[in-house]
Amino acid sequence: MQKFEILEQKYAEHLGVESAVAVNTGTAALHVALEALRLPEGSKVIVPEFTMYASGLAVHYARLTPVFVDCDDRLLIDLDKVEEAIDENTKVLMVTHIYGRVVDMNRVIEIAEKHNLRVIEDACEAQGAYWDGKAVGSFDIGCFSLYRNKIICAEEGGIVASDDTDLLRVVRDMKSMSFGEDHNYYHKQIGFNYRMTNSQASLAIDSLLNYHDNHNKRRVNEEIYNTLLPDSIKMPDRDAVWVYDFFSPVKDKIVSTLNSCGYAARHSFKPMSMMPLFKKDINYKEFLSYKKSQNVGYLPVDPYLEEKDILEICSITNKIIKEK
């Protein structure tokens, strides 16, 4: 058995699903999952406004139409607004578990069943989190990134996971140029060179086996932030600790100052409708996702950070907040 096959088996066990397919990136996972659904021309996919660009790009790559829905106060897709965005051409509801917070998956599945939609969970930022006792990424089609900054990681990589083994059979073929079982160079469907290397799979297996220690250290770092940073900048609790997001009118200065000190603080996502590829004649500045993006940033919680690093990050952050 090759390393990527071992990873597929272990990741499926980790999630409690029937099967998983390893690909070369999280973006590829989202894209090939959509392609494998073989949706009719003109199909629409509900996508969060507040998400990483790859979520929207995957829909575009698959020649489908993204329909963006604004976020709520937790930065998650606003489920109160999803149904009004659904029409007869809507085939997929994509949700992203932003910064380790989990969308209400019971309600997502309820909406999906009511409107006969498939559900894709962009679970790249919430590896190891659960909703109602069930692992995120296991409700219908789960997509994960194994990029080096993720909780479970390699240098690069991705996973598509599901109980729908028929779908994953198509994913497995498509991700390897759709050679088919005969491998006779007659390709019956669109295919992609999305294979994962064994060397990347090896790194991901090691990371998966080390998940609990990794996440425990992230929780420790999160708790230091919770103790030392003011309540005024804190965001709602996270179900998985990928990063420590915060809300502050001096977010830009905090991020740039920490970056200059060698710490990987980052700006938050911006609305998909703001991107030139998706921009329409709408006032995206009225969206909550835009207003949040102006003040939300995030701090690193990576397990390689020592306590002194987190203390210095807190000291710098607090000083900037007091100076404003």
Side-chain angles (χ1 to χ4, degrees):
M1 184 178 285
Q2 298 202 57
K3 287 289 187 180
F4 75 85
E5 294 172 313
I6 296 172
L7 172 63
E8 291 173 343
Q9 184 180 68
K10 289 187 177 297
Y11 213 99
E13 292 170 357
H14 166 70
L15 294 174
V17 296
E18 285 293 323
S19 190
V21 178
V23 294
N24 60 354
T25 67
T27 306
L30 291 165
H31 176 209
V32 75
L34 286 165
E35 293 279 3
L37 288 171
R38 294 166 167 164
L39 299 172
E41 185 178 348
S43 293
K44 296 178 180 179
V45 179
I46 303 292
V47 180
E49 275 284 1
F50 194 95
T51 187
M52 200 270 180
Y53 192 35
S55 304
L57 284 179
V59 179
H60 182 73
Y61 293 163
R63 304 164 309 286
L64 304 171
T65 302
V67 178
F68 300 113
V69 173
D70 204 5
C71 71
D72 61 19
D73 283 330
R74 299 177 69 224
L75 306 179
L76 303 174
I77 190 169
D78 190 339
L79 296 178
D80 289 337
K81 297 179 178 177
V82 166
E83 287 195 86
E84 64 190 53
I86 295 171
D87 65 21
E88 67 277 6
N89 291 318
T90 308
K91 305 298 180 186
V92 179
L93 170 54
M94 181 188 294
V95 299
T96 305
H97 303 301
I98 297 291
Y99 303 153
R101 289 186 197 90
V102 179
V103 180
D104 182 340
M105 291 307 299
N106 293 337
R107 192 169 173 201
V108 168
I109 296 302
E110 182 182 322
I111 293 170
E113 289 178 348
K114 178 180 177 181
H115 296 279
N116 194 29
L117 308 178
R118 295 302 299 262
V119 173
I120 291 180
E121 289 179 79
D122 179 343
C124 299
E125 301 169 17
Q127 291 158 312
Y130 285 80
W131 180 266
D132 199 17
K134 192 172 180 179
V136 299
S138 68
F139 284 81
D140 186 5
I141 306 166
C143 295
F144 298 84
S145 168
L146 301 174
Y147 183 60
R148 64 188 179 193
N149 71 353
K150 297 303 186 289
I151 298 172
I152 299 170
C153 65
E155 286 291 317
E156 262 293 7
I159 295 284
V160 183
S162 184
D163 288 325
D164 187 344
T165 53
D166 290 334
L167 174 82
L168 291 187
R169 193 173 298 113
V170 180
V171 169
R172 187 168 281 108
D173 189 32
M174 283 185 169
K175 69 113 176 198
S176 189
M177 297 301 294
S178 292
F179 276 105
E181 293 181 5
D182 295 332
H183 209 289
N184 61 0
Y185 292 95
Y186 178 69
H187 304 264
K188 297 179 181 178
Q189 62 189 354
I190 193 169
F192 311 94
N193 186 2
Y194 283 169
R195 293 180 288 261
M196 175 185 276
T197 65
N198 282 318
S199 58
Q200 294 289 358
S202 247
L203 294 172
I205 291 168
D206 290 344
S207 181
L208 179 58
L209 293 175
N210 191 46
Y211 164 75
H212 291 292
D213 288 343
N214 178 340
H215 198 256
N216 287 341
K217 181 65 191 304
R218 289 169 178 270
R219 282 288 184 202
V220 169
N221 290 340
E222 178 192 48
E223 188 52 37
I224 298 173
Y225 284 132
N226 280 339
T227 301
L228 296 180
L229 294 177
D231 290 342
S232 60
I233 75 166
K234 292 176 184 174
M235 293 291 289
D237 291 341
R238 302 154 198 86
D239 301 285
V241 187
W242 176 53
V243 294
Y244 189 95
D245 55 331
F246 66 91
F247 185 92
S248 172
V250 289
K251 175 262 298 184
D252 289 347
K253 186 172 182 181
I254 292 171
V255 170
S256 62
T257 303
L258 288 172
N259 287 170
S260 70
C261 295
Y263 294 113
R266 295 288 182 263
H267 299 279
S268 70
F269 303 137
K270 293 180 174 61
M272 289 294 101
S273 294
M274 187 177 174
M275 307 300 160
L277 181 64
F278 302 122
K279 201 168 182 179
K280 296 180 180 178
D281 188 21
I282 56 175
N283 184 9
Y284 59 79
K285 291 186 177 181
E286 293 182 352
F287 297 164
L288 182 59
S289 51
Y290 176 79
K291 295 170 184 175
K292 291 286 188 181
S293 74
Q294 300 306 292
N295 295 287
V296 171
Y298 60 82
L299 308 174
V301 295
D302 305 77
Y304 65 79
L305 291 169
E306 298 179 8
E307 183 176 356
K308 66 180 180 61
D309 297 315
I310 305 297
L311 294 176
E312 183 176 8
I313 291 170
C314 289
S315 175
I316 293 169
T317 301
N318 286 328
K319 183 179 179 183
I320 294 170
I321 291 169
K322 289 176 182 176
E323 289 175 347
K324 73 177 176 69

